[in-house]
Amino acid sequence: MWAYVVRRLAYSLVTVLGVLLLLFVLFFLVTNPDDIARKAVGEKAPPQALEQWKKNHGYDKPRFWNQKHPTDTMLVDHFRRMLTFDFGNSDADDTPIWRRLKSGAGPSLSFMLPLFVLELLLTISLGLLVAFFRETYIDRMGVILCVLAMSISTVLYIIGGQYLIARVLRWFPISGFDPSPSVIARFLAIPVLVGLLSGVGDGVRFYRAVFVEESGKDYVRTARAKGCGEGRILVYHVLRNSLVPILTQVVVVIPYLVMGSILLESFFGIPGLGSITFDAINANDFATLRTMVYLGSLLFILGQILTDVSYTVVDPRVRLE
Amino acid sequence: MEPYVLSNAVAVGLLAGLLWALVSARRSRVWRDAGRELLRRRPIALTVFLAYVAIGLLDSLTWVSASSGGTPQGDSVSLHKPRSTIDRLFPDESYREKSYSAPLADREFLGGAPLRHPGRHLLGTDILGRDVVYQTLKGARVALLVGGFTTLIAIPLALLFGVAAGYFGGRIDDAVFFLISTLASMPSLLLLIALIMALGRGPAQVCLALGITGWVSFARVVRGETLKLRELDYVHAARALGASDLRIVLRHIVPNLMHLVVIAFVLTFSGLVLSEAVLSWLGIGIDGSWGRMIDQARDELSREPIIWWNLVSASVALFGLILAVNLLGDAVRDILDPRTLRERA
């Protein structure tokens, strides 16, 4: 298995290089450094200030080829800095990007982790429930509700959830964040609830499909013939054998655990990495944005390797060669 | 060439393509049966979806009025402006009010000054005094552009790369697989944001960015299916008879992928429209979309008394389209997916 992991890591390095190349094309070739500098220093700034800003942020170098110093180009710089995690300063206000990442990771994690765990528990148990009642009216109602819930845009859940819970029912504060343990739950309650609601339709439908598919297999029929109860079959046989698709679904979420939710965090005033990304969009802060995309991709690739390894744990038939 | 001529050409082209697809599908028994089954299972969703398409197409047909008839009122610029069929259902620029007004109100919502058109705004007006019904109708065209037109960019791309990778294998497969895995290993919303920030804001850029992110997962499916099809006996037979690669791909591979294309089209559609709403919320969407209307209305619920008509109108329009397409998508998948075909037999 270790040989597999090493080979997988080598492949991932190629993918990471691909991601970096794409980011270079997007942020250094398609976008003109002059435009970025112009937006950062202002329309009326003198040319010297423009040049100085470009020099400070490394946008003054040649893109691909430097006659005197072949390694002193934007391409080499971009790859070297990203691969050594030296992200430099923000394009908008010159704060070190690392400081921002450190300040944002905590709030994002404290918001996304409860959301993630609760959502997983809720969708899987609802999925099991609906699968238990498959081909009855409860199942059909469940599927219809899921399709209805899926057809509502996330932004409507955010507006509607805040309006209903904070303004009409007045259960929790409208927005804001305070990391002290005694009050953090009060501030996170609405965003977590809204996040749960907006993901539940999709999730339940997916898990129902997985469980129903698994329920049609031969070993389930055998278990039933032996006299196993329907509930026991679902939990001990079907759920265990569905762990592979469940794990696959879980990995997709991993990067967002740290990267946060751009929509929810920015709207509810949680100062996580999602909010930082949102601010970077509005401030045309390209340095922060490409760092976020890079880190998100990195976490995603890592998550994929972890899933493959975890398959061997939940399913002994899977051997990684 | 005037931009509105191009918009007309695209609308007519799309309509012609749709009709051609329908006519050619009628010739095959499989597709005829599938169509009939879809009509039997989802008559309402199909009607609703076609209604949206009709509104979008009507809004795409734009022309300049002949100025000969009647006496010109107002300035000559607005008279020579191209207006679409939907525009013509409403009076001209003068139909606007100054600010918010409630549905069918005859006074302004804030301040209570009399309106120019008392009782004529079925769903009231927004902060700039624009009629909400008019804006909502105009949003249909944007949504169809985002969902339909973008899918029409993404699917040929996916077919090209997926079939090439699956059929030829080797180096081509390696290159395509590298491209796919690179794009797929970036969180989709972040990739979308990066693309739009780099390409610049605007409708064409948003569609392009959605197209670039949208083709990847489908290309993977196409590649896998092509790998399977390539080894089938009739493909071997065609090759033994001396058919060229191009002929095999066009006659034997692509037609057998068409059911996947239809499923992918319907399933991608709603995802794209919902993505646009999210992008609008982040301030990088398309002007005139329902997402943009919702974004502009987001603070109106916190007013006292609340202003709901703007938000509700855009939300219901968006919800209706997505729900219809989701229902159609499920039915289409059930009907066309060979796995379910086998189970039913």
Side-chain angles (χ1 to χ4, degrees), chain A residues 14-15 18-19 26 30 151 156 159 163 167 205 256 263 267 278 281 284 289 293 297 300, chain B residues 178 182 184-187 197-198 201 281-282 298 301-302 306 315 319 322-323 326 330 333:
Chain A
V14 178
T15 315
V19 169
L26 285 180
V30 180
S151 304
L156 289 176
I159 303 182
Y163 178 70
R167 289 192 206 282
R205 216 170 91 110
Y256 294 102
L263 296 182
F267 190 72
F278 181 77
I281 297 169
N284 285 309
L289 267 180
V293 181
S297 312
F300 205 73
Chain B
F178 172 67
T182 302
S185 64
M186 304 171 82
M197 292 304 284
R201 300 167 192 208
W281 180 265
L282 299 177
R298 66 159 102 171
L301 284 183
S302 57
I306 62 167
S315 312
F319 175 69
I322 301 294
L323 183 61
N326 277 346
D330 286 353
R333 191 171 42 186

mmCIF file of all heavy atoms in Angstrom, chain A residues 14-15 18-19 26 30 151 156 159 163 167 205 256 263 267 278 281 284 289 293 297 300, chain B residues 178 182 184-187 197-198 201 281-282 298 301-302 306 315 319 322-323 326 330 333:
data_model
loop_
_atom_site.group_PDB
_atom_site.id
_atom_site.type_symbol
_atom_site.label_atom_id
_atom_site.label_comp_id
_atom_site.label_asym_id
_atom_site.label_seq_id
_atom_site.Cartn_x
_atom_site.Cartn_y
_atom_site.Cartn_z
ATOM 1 N N VAL A 14 2.123 16.234 -9.980
ATOM 2 C CA VAL A 14 1.888 16.652 -11.372
ATOM 3 C C VAL A 14 0.608 17.478 -11.460
ATOM 4 O O VAL A 14 0.560 18.527 -12.117
ATOM 5 C CB VAL A 14 1.819 15.420 -12.293
ATOM 6 C CG1 VAL A 14 1.530 15.844 -13.722
ATOM 7 C CG2 VAL A 14 3.096 14.637 -12.217
ATOM 8 N N THR A 15 -0.447 17.006 -10.754
ATOM 9 C CA THR A 15 -1.702 17.752 -10.764
ATOM 10 C C THR A 15 -1.529 19.128 -10.154
ATOM 11 O O THR A 15 -2.051 20.119 -10.667
ATOM 12 C CB THR A 15 -2.791 16.980 -9.994
ATOM 13 O OG1 THR A 15 -2.731 15.616 -10.393
ATOM 14 C CG2 THR A 15 -4.152 17.536 -10.266
ATOM 15 N N GLY A 18 -0.061 21.324 -12.525
ATOM 16 C CA GLY A 18 -1.085 21.722 -13.492
ATOM 17 C C GLY A 18 -1.932 22.867 -12.958
ATOM 18 O O GLY A 18 -2.218 23.835 -13.667
ATOM 19 N N VAL A 19 -2.341 22.742 -11.697
ATOM 20 C CA VAL A 19 -3.143 23.805 -11.080
ATOM 21 C C VAL A 19 -2.358 25.114 -11.081
ATOM 22 O O VAL A 19 -2.882 26.181 -11.433
ATOM 23 C CB VAL A 19 -3.527 23.407 -9.632
ATOM 24 C CG1 VAL A 19 -4.120 24.581 -8.895
ATOM 25 C CG2 VAL A 19 -4.500 22.248 -9.649
ATOM 26 N N LEU A 26 -4.142 32.283 -15.761
ATOM 27 C CA LEU A 26 -5.270 33.154 -15.422
ATOM 28 C C LEU A 26 -4.811 34.477 -14.832
ATOM 29 O O LEU A 26 -5.296 35.545 -15.196
ATOM 30 C CB LEU A 26 -6.201 32.451 -14.433
ATOM 31 C CG LEU A 26 -7.076 31.363 -14.996
ATOM 32 C CD1 LEU A 26 -7.932 30.765 -13.900
ATOM 33 C CD2 LEU A 26 -7.955 31.917 -16.094
ATOM 34 N N VAL A 30 -3.677 36.192 -18.675
ATOM 35 C CA VAL A 30 -4.959 36.769 -19.086
ATOM 36 C C VAL A 30 -5.136 38.152 -18.478
ATOM 37 O O VAL A 30 -5.556 39.091 -19.143
ATOM 38 C CB VAL A 30 -6.120 35.836 -18.686
ATOM 39 C CG1 VAL A 30 -7.438 36.429 -19.107
ATOM 40 C CG2 VAL A 30 -5.929 34.467 -19.306
ATOM 41 N N SER A 151 -34.416 22.631 -5.356
ATOM 42 C CA SER A 151 -34.692 23.628 -6.380
ATOM 43 C C SER A 151 -34.628 25.051 -5.843
ATOM 44 O O SER A 151 -34.812 25.999 -6.592
ATOM 45 C CB SER A 151 -36.078 23.372 -6.990
ATOM 46 O OG SER A 151 -36.138 22.061 -7.473
ATOM 47 N N LEU A 156 -31.383 32.024 -1.339
ATOM 48 C CA LEU A 156 -32.713 32.204 -0.751
ATOM 49 C C LEU A 156 -32.776 31.606 0.643
ATOM 50 O O LEU A 156 -33.439 32.152 1.532
ATOM 51 C CB LEU A 156 -33.767 31.559 -1.642
ATOM 52 C CG LEU A 156 -33.982 32.318 -2.927
ATOM 53 C CD1 LEU A 156 -34.956 31.576 -3.815
ATOM 54 C CD2 LEU A 156 -34.507 33.702 -2.629
ATOM 55 N N ILE A 159 -31.188 34.307 2.894
ATOM 56 C CA ILE A 159 -32.075 35.447 3.188
ATOM 57 C C ILE A 159 -33.247 34.998 4.041
ATOM 58 O O ILE A 159 -33.565 35.594 5.076
ATOM 59 C CB ILE A 159 -32.600 36.080 1.887
ATOM 60 C CG1 ILE A 159 -31.444 36.522 1.008
ATOM 61 C CG2 ILE A 159 -33.489 37.265 2.200
ATOM 62 C CD1 ILE A 159 -31.898 37.202 -0.260
ATOM 63 N N TYR A 163 -34.140 35.880 7.978
ATOM 64 C CA TYR A 163 -35.385 36.611 8.241
ATOM 65 C C TYR A 163 -36.240 35.858 9.250
ATOM 66 O O TYR A 163 -36.722 36.421 10.237
ATOM 67 C CB TYR A 163 -36.139 36.805 6.927
ATOM 68 C CG TYR A 163 -37.453 37.500 7.098
ATOM 69 C CD1 TYR A 163 -37.499 38.850 7.447
ATOM 70 C CD2 TYR A 163 -38.647 36.826 6.934
ATOM 71 C CE1 TYR A 163 -38.698 39.498 7.623
ATOM 72 C CE2 TYR A 163 -39.850 37.464 7.099
ATOM 73 C CZ TYR A 163 -39.886 38.801 7.450
ATOM 74 O OH TYR A 163 -41.070 39.433 7.628
ATOM 75 N N ARG A 167 -35.258 37.486 12.723
ATOM 76 C CA ARG A 167 -36.138 38.658 12.793
ATOM 77 C C ARG A 167 -37.540 38.316 13.268
ATOM 78 O O ARG A 167 -38.098 39.023 14.095
ATOM 79 C CB ARG A 167 -36.206 39.332 11.432
ATOM 80 C CG ARG A 167 -34.923 40.028 11.092
ATOM 81 C CD ARG A 167 -35.074 40.926 9.894
ATOM 82 N NE ARG A 167 -33.786 41.070 9.245
ATOM 83 C CZ ARG A 167 -32.813 41.864 9.681
ATOM 84 N NH1 ARG A 167 -32.994 42.605 10.759
ATOM 85 N NH2 ARG A 167 -31.669 41.923 9.045
ATOM 86 N N ARG A 205 -31.298 12.824 -0.763
ATOM 87 C CA ARG A 205 -31.592 12.145 -2.019
ATOM 88 C C ARG A 205 -30.440 11.241 -2.436
ATOM 89 O O ARG A 205 -30.642 10.113 -2.857
ATOM 90 C CB ARG A 205 -31.856 13.171 -3.105
ATOM 91 C CG ARG A 205 -32.902 12.747 -4.073
ATOM 92 C CD ARG A 205 -33.252 13.908 -4.927
ATOM 93 N NE ARG A 205 -32.398 13.890 -6.092
ATOM 94 C CZ ARG A 205 -32.871 13.605 -7.296
ATOM 95 N NH1 ARG A 205 -34.150 13.330 -7.440
ATOM 96 N NH2 ARG A 205 -32.094 13.611 -8.325
ATOM 97 N N TYR A 256 -13.468 22.599 2.048
ATOM 98 C CA TYR A 256 -14.297 23.689 2.552
ATOM 99 C C TYR A 256 -14.275 23.778 4.067
ATOM 100 O O TYR A 256 -14.655 24.796 4.637
ATOM 101 C CB TYR A 256 -15.736 23.538 2.053
ATOM 102 C CG TYR A 256 -15.816 23.694 0.557
ATOM 103 C CD1 TYR A 256 -15.925 22.592 -0.268
ATOM 104 C CD2 TYR A 256 -15.745 24.951 -0.025
ATOM 105 C CE1 TYR A 256 -15.975 22.729 -1.631
ATOM 106 C CE2 TYR A 256 -15.793 25.098 -1.392
ATOM 107 C CZ TYR A 256 -15.911 23.984 -2.189
ATOM 108 O OH TYR A 256 -15.948 24.141 -3.548
ATOM 109 N N LEU A 263 -20.310 32.154 0.872
ATOM 110 C CA LEU A 263 -21.627 32.785 0.977
ATOM 111 C C LEU A 263 -22.031 33.014 2.418
ATOM 112 O O LEU A 263 -22.370 34.127 2.824
ATOM 113 C CB LEU A 263 -22.679 31.899 0.319
ATOM 114 C CG LEU A 263 -22.557 31.676 -1.167
ATOM 115 C CD1 LEU A 263 -23.696 30.824 -1.645
ATOM 116 C CD2 LEU A 263 -22.561 32.991 -1.889
ATOM 117 N N PHE A 267 -22.028 36.663 4.609
ATOM 118 C CA PHE A 267 -23.327 37.246 4.942
ATOM 119 C C PHE A 267 -23.537 37.351 6.441
ATOM 120 O O PHE A 267 -24.105 38.331 6.922
ATOM 121 C CB PHE A 267 -24.452 36.406 4.323
ATOM 122 C CG PHE A 267 -25.798 37.056 4.415
ATOM 123 C CD1 PHE A 267 -26.095 38.147 3.629
ATOM 124 C CD2 PHE A 267 -26.747 36.580 5.293
ATOM 125 C CE1 PHE A 267 -27.328 38.762 3.712
ATOM 126 C CE2 PHE A 267 -27.986 37.195 5.381
ATOM 127 C CZ PHE A 267 -28.274 38.283 4.583
ATOM 128 N N PHE A 278 -14.238 36.455 -0.075
ATOM 129 C CA PHE A 278 -15.271 37.386 -0.534
ATOM 130 C C PHE A 278 -14.718 38.814 -0.634
ATOM 131 O O PHE A 278 -14.910 39.506 -1.635
ATOM 132 C CB PHE A 278 -16.448 37.340 0.447
ATOM 133 C CG PHE A 278 -17.593 38.233 0.071
ATOM 134 C CD1 PHE A 278 -18.476 37.858 -0.929
ATOM 135 C CD2 PHE A 278 -17.782 39.445 0.719
ATOM 136 C CE1 PHE A 278 -19.525 38.678 -1.270
ATOM 137 C CE2 PHE A 278 -18.844 40.274 0.373
ATOM 138 C CZ PHE A 278 -19.717 39.878 -0.628
ATOM 139 N N ILE A 281 -12.477 39.244 -3.614
ATOM 140 C CA ILE A 281 -13.174 39.443 -4.890
ATOM 141 C C ILE A 281 -13.520 40.915 -5.059
ATOM 142 O O ILE A 281 -13.281 41.522 -6.103
ATOM 143 C CB ILE A 281 -14.463 38.600 -4.947
ATOM 144 C CG1 ILE A 281 -14.141 37.121 -4.869
ATOM 145 C CG2 ILE A 281 -15.259 38.898 -6.212
ATOM 146 C CD1 ILE A 281 -15.358 36.266 -4.656
ATOM 147 N N ASN A 284 -10.505 43.255 -5.706
ATOM 148 C CA ASN A 284 -9.614 42.855 -6.798
ATOM 149 C C ASN A 284 -8.244 42.434 -6.268
ATOM 150 O O ASN A 284 -7.214 42.771 -6.835
ATOM 151 C CB ASN A 284 -9.430 43.994 -7.802
ATOM 152 C CG ASN A 284 -10.650 44.155 -8.666
ATOM 153 O OD1 ASN A 284 -11.123 43.176 -9.234
ATOM 154 N ND2 ASN A 284 -11.167 45.354 -8.734
ATOM 155 N N LEU A 289 -6.575 35.881 -3.802
ATOM 156 C CA LEU A 289 -7.446 34.945 -4.506
ATOM 157 C C LEU A 289 -6.672 33.732 -5.003
ATOM 158 O O LEU A 289 -7.104 32.598 -4.820
ATOM 159 C CB LEU A 289 -8.088 35.640 -5.703
ATOM 160 C CG LEU A 289 -9.443 36.255 -5.454
ATOM 161 C CD1 LEU A 289 -9.947 36.910 -6.709
ATOM 162 C CD2 LEU A 289 -10.422 35.193 -5.000
ATOM 163 N N VAL A 293 -7.327 29.766 -4.072
ATOM 164 C CA VAL A 293 -7.608 28.709 -5.040
ATOM 165 C C VAL A 293 -6.556 27.613 -4.930
ATOM 166 O O VAL A 293 -6.858 26.417 -4.940
ATOM 167 C CB VAL A 293 -7.650 29.272 -6.475
ATOM 168 C CG1 VAL A 293 -7.960 28.175 -7.467
ATOM 169 C CG2 VAL A 293 -8.681 30.369 -6.591
ATOM 170 N N SER A 297 -7.303 23.754 -3.771
ATOM 171 C CA SER A 297 -6.978 22.615 -4.628
ATOM 172 C C SER A 297 -6.064 21.637 -3.912
ATOM 173 O O SER A 297 -6.231 20.419 -4.005
ATOM 174 C CB SER A 297 -6.298 23.093 -5.905
ATOM 175 O OG SER A 297 -7.002 24.146 -6.471
ATOM 176 N N PHE A 300 -7.989 19.618 -1.542
ATOM 177 C CA PHE A 300 -8.846 18.702 -2.289
ATOM 178 C C PHE A 300 -8.060 17.473 -2.736
ATOM 179 O O PHE A 300 -8.514 16.336 -2.592
ATOM 180 C CB PHE A 300 -9.384 19.446 -3.503
ATOM 181 C CG PHE A 300 -10.658 18.907 -4.018
ATOM 182 C CD1 PHE A 300 -11.832 19.108 -3.328
ATOM 183 C CD2 PHE A 300 -10.704 18.208 -5.209
ATOM 184 C CE1 PHE A 300 -13.022 18.614 -3.802
ATOM 185 C CE2 PHE A 300 -11.888 17.725 -5.694
ATOM 186 C CZ PHE A 300 -13.043 17.917 -4.989
ATOM 187 N N PHE B 178 -4.939 14.433 -17.816
ATOM 188 C CA PHE B 178 -4.232 15.444 -17.022
ATOM 189 C C PHE B 178 -5.064 16.720 -16.911
ATOM 190 O O PHE B 178 -5.256 17.273 -15.825
ATOM 191 C CB PHE B 178 -2.872 15.736 -17.662
ATOM 192 C CG PHE B 178 -2.139 16.885 -17.033
ATOM 193 C CD1 PHE B 178 -1.675 16.803 -15.735
ATOM 194 C CD2 PHE B 178 -1.923 18.056 -17.744
ATOM 195 C CE1 PHE B 178 -0.999 17.856 -15.156
ATOM 196 C CE2 PHE B 178 -1.253 19.115 -17.168
ATOM 197 C CZ PHE B 178 -0.798 19.011 -15.872
ATOM 198 N N THR B 182 -6.709 18.018 -13.462
ATOM 199 C CA THR B 182 -6.321 19.332 -12.947
ATOM 200 C C THR B 182 -7.546 20.178 -12.648
ATOM 201 O O THR B 182 -7.683 20.747 -11.563
ATOM 202 C CB THR B 182 -5.434 20.057 -13.964
ATOM 203 O OG1 THR B 182 -4.293 19.262 -14.226
ATOM 204 C CG2 THR B 182 -5.004 21.409 -13.434
ATOM 205 N N ALA B 184 -10.598 19.175 -12.229
ATOM 206 C CA ALA B 184 -11.483 18.565 -11.238
ATOM 207 C C ALA B 184 -10.909 18.663 -9.834
ATOM 208 O O ALA B 184 -11.642 18.500 -8.866
ATOM 209 C CB ALA B 184 -11.749 17.108 -11.593
ATOM 210 N N SER B 185 -9.613 18.923 -9.711
ATOM 211 C CA SER B 185 -9.058 18.974 -8.361
ATOM 212 C C SER B 185 -9.104 20.387 -7.790
ATOM 213 O O SER B 185 -8.562 20.647 -6.735
ATOM 214 C CB SER B 185 -7.620 18.461 -8.354
ATOM 215 O OG SER B 185 -6.825 19.305 -9.132
ATOM 216 N N MET B 186 -9.760 21.315 -8.521
ATOM 217 C CA MET B 186 -9.935 22.647 -7.950
ATOM 218 C C MET B 186 -11.378 22.786 -7.492
ATOM 219 O O MET B 186 -12.288 22.453 -8.242
ATOM 220 C CB MET B 186 -9.608 23.710 -8.997
ATOM 221 C CG MET B 186 -8.213 23.526 -9.547
ATOM 222 S SD MET B 186 -7.867 24.577 -10.938
ATOM 223 C CE MET B 186 -7.453 26.091 -10.113
ATOM 224 N N PRO B 187 -11.593 23.251 -6.253
ATOM 225 C CA PRO B 187 -12.972 23.451 -5.799
ATOM 226 C C PRO B 187 -13.725 24.332 -6.796
ATOM 227 O O PRO B 187 -13.213 25.378 -7.202
ATOM 228 C CB PRO B 187 -12.791 24.152 -4.452
ATOM 229 C CG PRO B 187 -11.449 23.739 -3.988
ATOM 230 C CD PRO B 187 -10.617 23.569 -5.214
ATOM 231 N N MET B 197 -12.671 36.490 -12.348
ATOM 232 C CA MET B 197 -11.808 37.619 -11.986
ATOM 233 C C MET B 197 -10.750 37.845 -13.057
ATOM 234 O O MET B 197 -10.384 38.979 -13.358
ATOM 235 C CB MET B 197 -11.119 37.350 -10.649
ATOM 236 C CG MET B 197 -12.033 37.324 -9.445
ATOM 237 S SD MET B 197 -12.991 38.814 -9.238
ATOM 238 C CE MET B 197 -11.740 39.907 -8.607
ATOM 239 N N ALA B 198 -10.233 36.745 -13.633
ATOM 240 C CA ALA B 198 -9.181 36.889 -14.638
ATOM 241 C C ALA B 198 -9.752 37.345 -15.974
ATOM 242 O O ALA B 198 -9.177 38.209 -16.640
ATOM 243 C CB ALA B 198 -8.429 35.572 -14.797
ATOM 244 N N ARG B 201 -15.477 40.885 -15.649
ATOM 245 C CA ARG B 201 -16.898 40.664 -15.361
ATOM 246 C C ARG B 201 -17.716 40.941 -16.605
ATOM 247 O O ARG B 201 -17.355 41.796 -17.412
ATOM 248 C CB ARG B 201 -17.332 41.583 -14.221
ATOM 249 C CG ARG B 201 -16.528 41.288 -12.986
ATOM 250 C CD ARG B 201 -16.676 42.360 -11.938
ATOM 251 N NE ARG B 201 -15.638 42.134 -10.918
ATOM 252 C CZ ARG B 201 -15.750 42.482 -9.660
ATOM 253 N NH1 ARG B 201 -16.814 43.090 -9.241
ATOM 254 N NH2 ARG B 201 -14.782 42.236 -8.819
ATOM 255 N N TRP B 281 -24.728 36.901 -6.218
ATOM 256 C CA TRP B 281 -24.661 37.231 -4.801
ATOM 257 C C TRP B 281 -23.266 37.720 -4.426
ATOM 258 O O TRP B 281 -23.102 38.574 -3.555
ATOM 259 C CB TRP B 281 -25.032 35.970 -4.027
ATOM 260 C CG TRP B 281 -25.043 36.065 -2.554
ATOM 261 C CD1 TRP B 281 -24.031 35.744 -1.705
ATOM 262 C CD2 TRP B 281 -26.129 36.473 -1.731
ATOM 263 N NE1 TRP B 281 -24.416 35.925 -0.422
ATOM 264 C CE2 TRP B 281 -25.701 36.366 -0.399
ATOM 265 C CE3 TRP B 281 -27.430 36.903 -1.989
ATOM 266 C CZ2 TRP B 281 -26.527 36.690 0.669
ATOM 267 C CZ3 TRP B 281 -28.244 37.214 -0.920
ATOM 268 C CH2 TRP B 281 -27.790 37.110 0.384
ATOM 269 N N LEU B 282 -22.241 37.165 -5.110
ATOM 270 C CA LEU B 282 -20.871 37.594 -4.851
ATOM 271 C C LEU B 282 -20.516 38.842 -5.644
ATOM 272 O O LEU B 282 -19.393 39.334 -5.557
ATOM 273 C CB LEU B 282 -19.887 36.477 -5.215
ATOM 274 C CG LEU B 282 -20.041 35.176 -4.449
ATOM 275 C CD1 LEU B 282 -19.070 34.137 -4.953
ATOM 276 C CD2 LEU B 282 -19.810 35.405 -2.969
ATOM 277 N N ARG B 298 -31.701 41.866 -1.115
ATOM 278 C CA ARG B 298 -31.382 41.111 0.096
ATOM 279 C C ARG B 298 -31.579 41.910 1.379
ATOM 280 O O ARG B 298 -31.866 41.340 2.412
ATOM 281 C CB ARG B 298 -29.970 40.565 0.034
ATOM 282 C CG ARG B 298 -28.881 41.601 0.041
ATOM 283 C CD ARG B 298 -27.596 40.954 0.486
ATOM 284 N NE ARG B 298 -26.690 40.672 -0.607
ATOM 285 C CZ ARG B 298 -25.441 40.257 -0.410
ATOM 286 N NH1 ARG B 298 -24.996 40.071 0.797
ATOM 287 N NH2 ARG B 298 -24.649 40.034 -1.416
ATOM 288 N N LEU B 301 -35.749 42.865 3.233
ATOM 289 C CA LEU B 301 -36.533 42.216 4.280
ATOM 290 C C LEU B 301 -36.248 42.842 5.639
ATOM 291 O O LEU B 301 -37.034 42.699 6.564
ATOM 292 C CB LEU B 301 -36.210 40.721 4.331
ATOM 293 C CG LEU B 301 -36.806 39.853 3.232
ATOM 294 C CD1 LEU B 301 -36.448 38.409 3.469
ATOM 295 C CD2 LEU B 301 -38.306 40.007 3.153
ATOM 296 N N SER B 302 -35.110 43.521 5.770
ATOM 297 C CA SER B 302 -34.802 44.112 7.067
ATOM 298 C C SER B 302 -35.416 45.496 7.212
ATOM 299 O O SER B 302 -35.267 46.144 8.234
ATOM 300 C CB SER B 302 -33.287 44.178 7.270
ATOM 301 O OG SER B 302 -32.709 44.911 6.219
ATOM 302 N N ILE B 306 -41.633 45.643 5.654
ATOM 303 C CA ILE B 306 -40.766 44.970 4.703
ATOM 304 C C ILE B 306 -41.257 45.146 3.271
ATOM 305 O O ILE B 306 -42.440 45.343 3.014
ATOM 306 C CB ILE B 306 -40.629 43.462 5.012
ATOM 307 C CG1 ILE B 306 -41.983 42.769 4.911
ATOM 308 C CG2 ILE B 306 -39.989 43.235 6.342
ATOM 309 C CD1 ILE B 306 -41.839 41.277 4.890
ATOM 310 N N SER B 315 -37.553 35.143 -6.802
ATOM 311 C CA SER B 315 -37.353 33.811 -6.231
ATOM 312 C C SER B 315 -38.296 32.791 -6.829
ATOM 313 O O SER B 315 -37.899 31.678 -7.148
ATOM 314 C CB SER B 315 -37.572 33.840 -4.722
ATOM 315 O OG SER B 315 -36.886 34.892 -4.154
ATOM 316 N N PHE B 319 -37.237 29.554 -8.800
ATOM 317 C CA PHE B 319 -37.647 28.267 -8.243
ATOM 318 C C PHE B 319 -38.447 27.460 -9.261
ATOM 319 O O PHE B 319 -38.224 26.264 -9.450
ATOM 320 C CB PHE B 319 -38.466 28.506 -6.967
ATOM 321 C CG PHE B 319 -39.044 27.274 -6.358
ATOM 322 C CD1 PHE B 319 -38.221 26.338 -5.762
ATOM 323 C CD2 PHE B 319 -40.405 27.055 -6.368
ATOM 324 C CE1 PHE B 319 -38.749 25.198 -5.200
ATOM 325 C CE2 PHE B 319 -40.943 25.916 -5.805
ATOM 326 C CZ PHE B 319 -40.117 24.987 -5.220
ATOM 327 N N ILE B 322 -36.125 26.013 -11.997
ATOM 328 C CA ILE B 322 -35.237 24.961 -11.506
ATOM 329 C C ILE B 322 -36.023 23.701 -11.175
ATOM 330 O O ILE B 322 -35.613 22.584 -11.503
ATOM 331 C CB ILE B 322 -34.467 25.440 -10.256
ATOM 332 C CG1 ILE B 322 -33.651 26.675 -10.578
ATOM 333 C CG2 ILE B 322 -33.556 24.351 -9.727
ATOM 334 C CD1 ILE B 322 -32.540 26.460 -11.535
ATOM 335 N N LEU B 323 -37.194 23.902 -10.547
ATOM 336 C CA LEU B 323 -38.006 22.740 -10.186
ATOM 337 C C LEU B 323 -38.432 21.988 -11.441
ATOM 338 O O LEU B 323 -38.319 20.757 -11.524
ATOM 339 C CB LEU B 323 -39.234 23.191 -9.389
ATOM 340 C CG LEU B 323 -40.131 22.071 -8.890
ATOM 341 C CD1 LEU B 323 -39.361 21.150 -7.965
ATOM 342 C CD2 LEU B 323 -41.352 22.628 -8.169
ATOM 343 N N ASN B 326 -35.428 20.194 -12.833
ATOM 344 C CA ASN B 326 -35.040 19.058 -12.004
ATOM 345 C C ASN B 326 -35.976 17.877 -12.212
ATOM 346 O O ASN B 326 -35.535 16.735 -12.321
ATOM 347 C CB ASN B 326 -35.051 19.455 -10.523
ATOM 348 C CG ASN B 326 -33.762 20.137 -10.112
ATOM 349 O OD1 ASN B 326 -32.768 20.085 -10.836
ATOM 350 N ND2 ASN B 326 -33.778 20.778 -8.965
ATOM 351 N N ASP B 330 -34.887 14.212 -13.776
ATOM 352 C CA ASP B 330 -35.079 12.890 -13.171
ATOM 353 C C ASP B 330 -35.774 11.955 -14.134
ATOM 354 O O ASP B 330 -35.380 10.801 -14.304
ATOM 355 C CB ASP B 330 -35.924 13.024 -11.896
ATOM 356 C CG ASP B 330 -35.113 13.635 -10.778
ATOM 357 O OD1 ASP B 330 -33.899 13.798 -10.985
ATOM 358 O OD2 ASP B 330 -35.697 13.952 -9.730
ATOM 359 N N ARG B 333 -33.564 10.924 -17.009
ATOM 360 C CA ARG B 333 -32.566 9.934 -16.612
ATOM 361 C C ARG B 333 -33.207 8.556 -16.453
ATOM 362 O O ARG B 333 -32.667 7.554 -16.904
ATOM 363 C CB ARG B 333 -31.905 10.372 -15.316
ATOM 364 C CG ARG B 333 -30.690 9.534 -14.998
ATOM 365 C CD ARG B 333 -29.921 10.093 -13.858
ATOM 366 N NE ARG B 333 -30.831 10.544 -12.800
ATOM 367 C CZ ARG B 333 -30.423 11.180 -11.719
ATOM 368 N NH1 ARG B 333 -29.158 11.466 -11.583
ATOM 369 N NH2 ARG B 333 -31.268 11.545 -10.792
#
